[in-house]
């Protein structure tokens, strides 16, 4: 190395580029909002993607029993392998295998939450300057993780009028030589969409044609309402290599346990030479997730009764129906009925709410007047929608929907009341906002 | 962006530079060794830095109780703040404060093990192309984490003849305009050294003179034998900003729980503008460590009795003495008595073991003949030493020391037996090996 003299005279310590580029848009949008609830009304937060917050949904007893058992055995306090205990990986492999996509312990890497899994996958597949394709609207962490290490996030459009299916030509148009991966999220946060087998096959065709691997974010696997079917992407392809990521977080209602995983689906050994090894090496940076939870995984996956899942889903689906029904009746709002996960997106016809520039101002006003907080879809890089979380207790949801109705009826302007187009100051027509 | 056509015709997926550059030297050195134990002798591993492996040392009961309590309360299964629960951070702050370095909850970030803390600190302070200074011999993860993101690791020398104190002029000679941080590890892995107040002050002077912040790896805090005193680095300076990292791992004998922390010691607000915020942003990538363990922290830190610590230390110290005494008597070996932590480094006078090229071959042969495995110090970038872990049950340690004695007496050659210098094939005189 060319040795230089230390020239600083005073203390000045800067943060690295990675630190500066690690940026959570939700945090900064929400922090930038003026959120002062109406003191006359109790706050209802439909914003928090944490199903455990209200206490109505709770971890399965079997998971608690499994964890206490692991603790009492006093064998799981030491270091585990950085990819996770063999028996835990084997249990995840069995849980994730399908007749067409059969995996075993060596194909599984346990991580610190599904976020940790996404971090490893993105970091392993993409170099600075390369790009990954991510859905819009989509979960914000994809972009956060990518841009943190100088990887560009390119958004492919989802279509609300087609239950948020991917705009396939748009997706394909974004692929170039520097495209390292496509992230597909079904069931989806924030959309609640669940893609059909046919639609997933269409996406896979594009990946196959362009030889781009897929990161399938399936943290909401099996989280689908009646009438929909869940298809793991890896079960639908013989050719496209897929890193499927999931974890205990959502289905077992334990976000805080921070237990996620990567399943390497790679029937043609395309990940064999480099990616598999790369993921393993990266897992050594923090030495795996909590070993007690790891040790409990086989029991959690085996012993949790079907009724636990179906009860959760029934509850969320009935909330979805209830919310969709009420909101559908509100002039100016357009809810998109979800087929799974635990969210609903609601469009705002901004032209009819001329007081507000955009979804951020709309949701701000909803807080100050009605003490109901929903995330503006700007948080998901999508304009003029807001997201409702469907895991809140039903009474709260009913109350929230009533307040939203009241809010809209106060602020909705009919066509004839809308001021002349030239004077509309909201961003409904501001194209620059969309791209 | 300049859009290019996708030109690949076949599947070819490479791992990123970060993945390729993430490299655990211990893993690769050990994997490269021919380790075939003598079938007539039961294997004794003095290599594993996991104090829980042999079952003689175990998690304090109070920690188990605290964890079960947290679980039963059913309030800690959801997401916590990405830097950790306020009450857990407050407890760590209280635990880490000294009268001179007083910190509170806002100065603490909880991480996934001390490794996760080191990862955040290095990533936040250094850009690719910059360098950090790390001890030699030293814990391998510093280099792994740095080089993973293109940060150079420069080794400063420790001096075995001075109980592994830092070669201060050498340390200072390595500092240049691109030096982002100095990592100081006391008590030390692999050396077991505990630096005196005076020595720590000398290191701080260098940091202050050159305006380089310090990352103090204090995962073995309070882990010192009778006669030594532990000084948190942050308690010794008014001017140098210090990120102190530690965790539950070692003192509470729970490496698998993956609970570490960063304490931001920054009395002059040098980290205020950028580093503090950068660390916070980086913590959002995986959303904090397991929340149940977090919730148990206040009780663990408060309720674990002093006797738990002192019993552990007494045991390790008596092992250290026993091991040092036996090994001291072996011609050709030179143990350096540790003052803390749970390791001892033993020098090999390679000239007297002409059958072996280096510490790797020496420890390999010790396995094949005596079924005793010690890590060659090559794992710590240091030649012709090996490291012994002192947490094994005493009977095993005694047996291992006997076998080492037998091994050495078989292979030791006296001065007169040593072949002429010109014919010595081991690396004792190969200077290139040292740098
Ligand atoms: C689509 C999606 N992926 C990943 C995650 C992260 O999951 P985890 O909490 O396991 O990191 C979430 C959390 O909300 C999510 O909605
Ligand atoms: C000096 C040193 N620092 C950090 C660590 C990592 O600790 P953790 O297991 O909490 O990640 C170790 C583990 O052996 C260590 O010896």
């Amino acid at each position: 190395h060319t040795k230089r003299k230390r020239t600083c005279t005073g203390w000045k310590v800067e943060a690295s580029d990675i630190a500066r580029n690690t940026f959570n848009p939700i945090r900064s949008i929400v922090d930038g909002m003026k959120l002062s609830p109406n003191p006359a009304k109790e706050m209802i937060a439909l914003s928090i993607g944490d199903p455990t917050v209200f206490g109505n949904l709770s971890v399965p007893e079997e998971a608690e029993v499994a964890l206490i058992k692991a603790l009492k055995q006093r064998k799981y306090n030491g270091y585990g392998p950085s990819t996770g205990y063999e028996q835990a990986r084997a249990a995840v492999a069995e849980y994730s295998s399908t007749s067409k996509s059969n995996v075993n312990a060596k194909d599984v890497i346990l991580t610190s939450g599904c976020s940790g899994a996404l971090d490893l996958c993105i970091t392993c597949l993409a170099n600075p300057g390369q790009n990954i394709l991510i859905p819009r609207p989509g979960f914000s962490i994809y972009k956060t993780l990518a841009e943190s290490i100088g990887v560009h996030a390119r958004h492919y459009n989802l279509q609300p009028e087609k239950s948020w299916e991917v705009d396939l030509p748009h997706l394909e148009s974004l692929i170039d030589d520097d495209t390292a991966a496509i992230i597909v999220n079904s069931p989806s946060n924030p959309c609640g969409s669940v893609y059909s087998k046919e639609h997933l096959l269409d996406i896979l065709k594009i990946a196959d044609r362009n030889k781009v691997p897929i990161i399938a974010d399936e943290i909401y696997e099996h989280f689908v309402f009646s009438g929909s079917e869940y298809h793991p992407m890896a079960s639908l392809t013989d050719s496209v290599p897929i890193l499927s990521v999931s974890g205990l977080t959502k289905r077992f209602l334990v976000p805080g346990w921070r237990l996620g995983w990567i399943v390497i689906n790679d029937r043609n050994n395309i990940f064999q030479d480099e990616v598999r090894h790369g993921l393993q090496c990266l897992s050594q940076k923090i030495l795996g997730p909590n070993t007690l939870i790891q040790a409990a995984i086989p029991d959690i996956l085996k012993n949790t009764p079907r009724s636990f899942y179906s009860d959760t889903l029934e509850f969320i689906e009935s909330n979805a129906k209830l919310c969709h029904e009420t909101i559908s009746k509100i002039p100016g709002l357009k809810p998109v009925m979800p087929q799974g996960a635990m969210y609903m997106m609601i469009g705002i016809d901004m032209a009819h709410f001329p007081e507000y520039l955009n979804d951020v101002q709309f949701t701000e006003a909803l807080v100050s007047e009605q003490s109901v907080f929903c995330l503006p879809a700007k948080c998901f890089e999508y304009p003029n929608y807001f997201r409702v979380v469907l895991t809140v207790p039903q009474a709260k949801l009913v109350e929230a929907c009533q307040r939203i109705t009241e809010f809209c009826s106060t602020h909705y302007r009919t066509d004839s009341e809308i001021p002349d187009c030239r004077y509309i100051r909201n961003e409904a027509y501001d194209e620059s906002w969309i791209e």
Side-chain angles (χ1 to χ4, degrees), chain A residues 299-369:
Chain A
D299 279 359
I300 294 176
L301 298 182
K302 205 173 59 215
N303 299 345
T304 305
R306 281 181 173 279
S307 61
F308 176 80
Y309 309 128
S310 54
D311 289 354
T312 311
L313 273 170
E314 223 169 83
F315 167 74
I316 297 176
E317 182 170 0
S318 96
N319 263 359
K321 283 179 175 154
L322 193 150
C323 182
H324 187 264
E325 205 172 315
T326 322
I327 304 284
S328 295
K329 293 190 193 124
I330 303 178
L333 293 192
K334 213 173 178 178
V336 184
M337 182 63 191
Q339 300 130 329
M342 42 200 225
Y343 313 98
M344 172 150 45
M345 286 279 273
I346 298 171
I348 315 165
D349 193 346
M350 295 303 308
H352 289 276
F353 297 97
E355 290 165 79
Y356 310 114
L357 267 176
N358 53 39
D359 52 325
V360 174
Q361 290 195 353
F362 182 95
T363 50
E364 262 176 6
L366 188 54
V367 170
S368 28
E369 289 183 26

Side-chain angles (χ1 to χ4, degrees), chain A residues 350-351 353-357 417-427 429:
Chain A
M350 295 303 308
F353 297 97
E355 290 165 79
Y356 310 114
L357 267 176
E417 291 167 335
I418 295 179
D420 186 284
C421 250
R422 278 168 300 160
Y423 302 113
I424 289 182
R425 42 181 287 285
N426 73 39
E427 290 174 347
Y429 303 112

